[in-house]
Amino acid sequence: MKFYNLKNHNEQLSFSQAVKVGLGSQQGLFFPLHLPEFELRDIDMMLEMDFLNRSSKILSVYTGNEIKPNNMRMLLKKAFSFPAIVKPVKENISCLELFHGPTLAFKDFGARFMASVLAYLNNNCATVLIATSGDTGAAVAHAFYGMHNIRVVILYPQGKISSLQEKLFCTLGKNIDTIAIKGDFDSCQTLVKQAFDDKLLREKINLNSANSINISRLLAQICYYFEGVAQLPKEKRNQLVISVPSGNFGNLTAGLLAKSLGLPIKRFIFSTNSNDTVPRFLSTGKWLPKATVATLSNAMDISNPNNWVRIEELFRRKTWSLSELSYSSVSDKMTNSTLMEMADIGYISEPHAATAYYALINNLKKEEYGLFIGTAHPAKFQDRIEPIVGKQLNPPEQLEKRKNLPLLSYTMSANFDLLKNFLLKQDQ
Ligand SMILES: *Cc1c(COP(=O)(O)O)cnc(C)c1O
């Protein structure tokens, strides 16, 4: 299938090309040219399949013959090497836990699929440059770690991610460079965009992006929505409402794409923290990003979400109405009390998922069944959660291994010339 640039519809690339370039001209994001829909009986059949075979079928819709079905399955076997698990939380609510991968966040699905695709396409000699609000950095670093001829440079806001998040990806070395930027996530994202606008850089170091703007990451995420539905009891499927904790809105975009493929999802709810550009936009019609504020759910501290334009495009093309989306913007105070409430009913969560749970509780109707997305492992936010739930958490082995290693990050002001020099110099 072809993918078109949202800023210039005439720029249309194949899947492989779109994965390699990441962003189109004028920093436009790529979007599928066709929005296919499976027949009802295909969906029923697919929900009976195992995760890998089903995911392979879903992704093949978008990749066509660019990746042969057998190869797609092999590639996914490597990328999706850990499960997505539906855990009941209370009578009419479950969590779709997506944090059982190597870096304990849902971003492992997208990042590992993207790395496998690039390896498959033999796209060597590239520099992958990304900005992270916490979890993308770890997922991308681990997915690309040790890959030949691919250098990864990760920018993150200094002091604004949890110390365990930092340990996960700033202790690797080898082909992974990490830079703590004196600024917030949006200033990191701006630096990345500036780099992509810089002709010399694009040519000299063959820049690629692994942010959720890369179409391969987005498509990979469609697969776990199907898996979530497949694990639910059949009788719940018709009244399913999914709540997604949102920052850059890639996860919600993928969920909506799953719905457009015909997956039975009645409606979506999303949550933000107090960085509420989208909730304010939906209630007033005005897009007015404010300065980003630091919150407990730091991976969602984003005030200019990149993927929102994709959601608007999807709604426009499907002639859906944005008024069908429900949402809550959740303060840290509410996040805290929600975490306590959840612990009381026997489910230890973390700040991001807690905002989605809160939004779900506040929007769910009697006859509906709610699924909220568990985006990160609670142990990643151990220092914040233990005092709230009054209990010690056992860190999984993925964290235990790295928590005492020295940080290898560089530090830099949010200044594009400094970054440019760094990228060019280290390349020699
Ligand atoms: C990235 C992230 C989010 C936000 O996801 P988007 O796709 O950017 O909306 C939510 N929770 C966690 C833990 C994350 O790492």
Side-chain angles (χ1 to χ4, degrees):
M1 188 190 292
K2 293 256 183 200
F3 294 82
Y4 62 97
N5 178 342
L6 289 177
K7 292 245 175 90
N8 169 12
H9 293 188
N10 292 325
E11 185 183 351
Q12 301 191 352
L13 302 183
S14 68
F15 171 75
S16 333
Q17 290 167 324
V19 176
K20 282 184 194 172
V21 300
L23 268 178
S25 59
Q26 300 166 266
Q27 304 171 351
L29 274 66
F30 286 102
F31 195 81
L33 189 56
H34 303 291
L35 294 172
E37 199 171 333
F38 290 111
E39 306 248 346
L40 258 178
R41 54 164 194 269
D42 283 339
I43 295 276
D44 283 344
M45 189 192 71
M46 287 164 73
L47 290 174
E48 299 292 322
M49 291 165 90
D50 67 53
F51 184 42
L52 292 182
N53 282 318
R54 184 194 317 113
S55 300
S56 173
K57 189 170 161 78
I58 295 166
L59 290 167
S60 297
V61 166
Y62 298 100
T63 58
N65 50 18
E66 289 176 66
I67 302 178
K68 299 209 169 61
N70 262 347
N71 293 340
M72 176 63 89
R73 211 184 162 284
M74 247 169 40
L75 200 147
L76 286 178
K77 196 167 171 199
K78 213 170 131 234
F80 296 173
S81 53
F82 53 95
I85 303 171
V86 172
K87 279 260 174 74
V89 172
K90 58 190 250 182
E91 198 197 326
N92 57 341
I93 293 182
S94 292
C95 178
L96 174 56
E97 295 186 349
L98 301 176
F99 49 72
H100 298 288
T103 72
L104 307 169
F106 76 98
K107 298 201 167 80
D108 281 327
F109 285 98
R112 292 172 66 81
F113 178 62
M114 178 177 169
S116 308
V117 168
L118 285 179
Y120 177 79
L121 298 173
N122 270 328
N123 184 45
N124 33 25
C125 297
T127 301
V128 169
L129 174 68
I130 63 158
T132 180
S133 57
D135 292 321
T136 301
V140 168
H142 283 258
F144 285 87
Y145 183 57
M147 268 172 76
H148 294 299
N149 299 324
I150 294 192
R151 174 189 181 206
V152 176
V153 180
I154 302 173
L155 314 183
Y156 64 99
Q158 186 176 34
K160 296 197 169 72
I161 67 177
S162 92
S163 59
L164 284 174
Q165 276 179 320
E166 193 175 23
K167 287 283 185 181
L168 253 179
F169 71 99
C170 302
T171 54
L172 288 167
K174 277 199 189 168
N175 60 330
I176 313 292
D177 282 332
T178 52
I179 309 178
I181 297 288
K182 295 177 185 153
D184 56 20
F185 172 72
D186 289 283
S187 61
C188 297
Q189 192 151 266
T190 303
L191 285 170
V192 170
K193 286 187 172 178
Q194 282 175 299
F196 274 91
D197 267 348
D198 191 286
K199 234 180 140 209
L200 178 77
L201 271 184
R202 274 191 95 144
E203 280 164 13
K204 272 212 118 162
I205 62 172
N206 194 7
L207 266 191
N208 196 317
S209 169
N211 271 16
S212 54
I213 43 190
N214 193 295
I215 195 74
S216 61
R217 285 191 45 190
L218 194 64
L219 298 179
Q221 291 175 233
I222 295 173
C223 302
Y224 55 64
Y225 283 93
F226 277 77
E227 177 65 11
V229 174
Q231 286 181 35
L232 285 179
K234 277 208 176 89
E235 67 276 11
K236 312 282 189 207
R237 286 184 191 158
N238 289 334
Q239 289 291 330
L240 177 60
V241 178
I242 299 186
S243 179
V244 187
S246 296
N248 229 348
F249 283 79
N251 205 356
L252 180 63
T253 310
L256 290 161
L257 281 170
K259 183 176 163 73
S260 88
L261 282 170
L263 186 66
I265 299 166
K266 186 177 163 195
R267 61 192 184 97
F268 279 93
I269 299 171
F270 69 86
S271 60
T272 66
N273 53 34
S274 43
N275 297 289
D276 59 350
T277 306
V278 178
R280 280 185 292 111
F281 171 71
L282 290 175
S283 65
T284 66
K286 296 202 176 90
W287 187 262
L288 290 171
K290 295 182 191 163
T292 312
V293 295
T295 73
L296 286 173
S297 45
N298 63 277
M300 291 155 54
D301 291 349
I302 296 172
S303 50
N304 218 342
N306 260 321
N307 280 294
W308 184 253
V309 287
R310 282 186 169 136
I311 293 182
E312 286 189 327
E313 181 75 351
L314 183 60
F315 274 75
R316 189 181 67 76
R317 285 188 47 197
K318 297 294 285 187
T319 59
W320 292 343
S321 163
L322 282 172
S323 63
E324 289 159 28
L325 279 177
S326 307
Y327 51 85
S328 296
S329 140
V330 188
S331 66
D332 274 357
K333 199 167 155 225
M334 287 315 303
T335 304
N336 262 331
S337 54
T338 305
L339 281 167
M340 274 190 271
E341 231 174 79
M342 295 171 90
D344 281 345
I345 56 169
Y347 189 80
I348 305 283
S349 192
E350 55 75 42
H352 306 80
T355 65
Y357 180 81
Y358 176 91
L360 193 56
I361 295 281
N362 280 279
N363 281 286
L364 199 67
K365 302 191 184 94
K366 249 212 199 91
E367 70 280 9
E368 292 176 332
Y369 190 87
L371 188 67
F372 66 101
I373 308 290
T375 44
H377 197 293
K380 249 180 150 166
F381 304 93
Q382 198 180 17
D383 39 352
R384 287 173 211 173
I385 293 168
E386 283 180 351
I388 298 172
V389 301
K391 204 163 128 177
Q392 268 200 323
L393 306 183
N394 289 331
E397 159 206 22
Q398 291 98 313
L399 274 181
E400 198 58 48
K401 266 200 317 228
R402 311 217 73 84
K403 75 175 192 206
N404 296 318
L405 296 175
L407 293 174
L408 303 172
S409 295
Y410 301 87
T411 310
M412 198 181 278
S413 315
N415 175 316
F416 178 61
D417 289 329
L418 289 176
L419 176 67
K420 184 170 173 176
N421 282 337
F422 178 89
L423 289 171
L424 288 173
K425 196 174 77 215
Q426 302 271 322
D427 193 51
Q428 283 159 9

